[in-house]
Structure formats: structure tokens, C-alpha cells
Amino acid sequence: MSARLLQFINSPTGPKTTHFWGPVANWGFVLAAMIDSRKPPETISAKMTGVLSVYSVLFMRFAWMVQPRNYLLLACHASNEVAQLYQLSRRIRYDMEQKGKKS
């Protein structure tokens, strides 16, 4: 194996640690939000999407502050933040359209 690959494998945030596998598992949130973007907006839970958004912001800060910095976790939660805010915007637009129809 190359020296760089071995260095990554044995690093404090490499695949031998939870600093690697935790973020890898969290990519499931991003994948789920991307898949849900094809579903109708009335199925989106604004509360749950808001909670996931706050969760990602908190963990982005954690990923930045922890030593060594966990860039994989930061990227995962930044991506999830974008995906959740997109979902939340879809739900808010849907709710506003429904209010406009009732008026």
C-alpha cells in the first residue's frame, strides 16, 4: 500500500476510529433528504426537519472544535444542513400556497 493510504488508515480520523464511521453513517440523513425531495411537500414534517437542521448546525460546530478537526463530519453535516433547509423551504412554500388558496 502507498504511504499516504497507510497514513490515512492509521490517522486519528481514519477508518479505524469512530471519527470516520460516525460521519459515514450520518450520510444516510443526507441521502434520505435527497430521496425525500421527490416526494410531495405535504409529507414533510416541518418540526422534524427543523430539528434535523439544528442538529446539523450543532454537529458542524462540534466537528470544527474537536481535535483533531473532523472534516468528514463537518462536510456531512454541512450537506445535511443544505438538504434539510431545502426540504423546510419546500414545506413553508406549500403551507403559504395553501393559506393563499383559503383566503
Side-chain angles (χ1 to χ4, degrees):
M1 277 192 222
S2 74
R4 283 195 63 103
L5 181 60
L6 283 174
Q7 182 182 5
F8 167 70
I9 289 172
N10 294 317
S11 75
T13 56
K16 290 185 176 181
T17 69
T18 58
H19 294 285
F20 178 81
W21 293 108
V24 168
N26 276 327
W27 279 102
F29 289 133
V30 180
L31 182 62
M34 290 170 50
I35 291 169
D36 286 349
S37 68
R38 296 175 182 237
K39 294 181 179 177
E42 61 269 15
T43 63
I44 298 168
S45 167
K47 288 181 183 178
M48 189 64 205
T49 303
V51 167
L52 283 169
S53 181
V54 170
Y55 162 79
S56 283
V57 167
L58 292 173
F59 270 87
M60 280 192 295
R61 183 178 183 329
F62 171 79
W64 187 255
M65 298 304 288
V66 71
Q67 292 298 322
R69 286 199 171 129
N70 193 330
Y71 295 110
L72 182 59
L73 185 65
L74 182 66
C76 169
H77 284 291
S79 299
N80 190 45
E81 184 68 18
V82 170
Q84 296 303 327
L85 289 176
Y86 172 69
Q87 291 293 76
L88 193 56
S89 72
R90 289 181 61 224
R91 180 59 195 225
I92 291 169
R93 267 185 277 149
Y94 172 79
D95 290 343
M96 290 174 65
E97 287 172 4
Q98 295 305 307
K99 283 183 183 178
K101 288 179 182 178
K102 290 179 182 178
S103 299

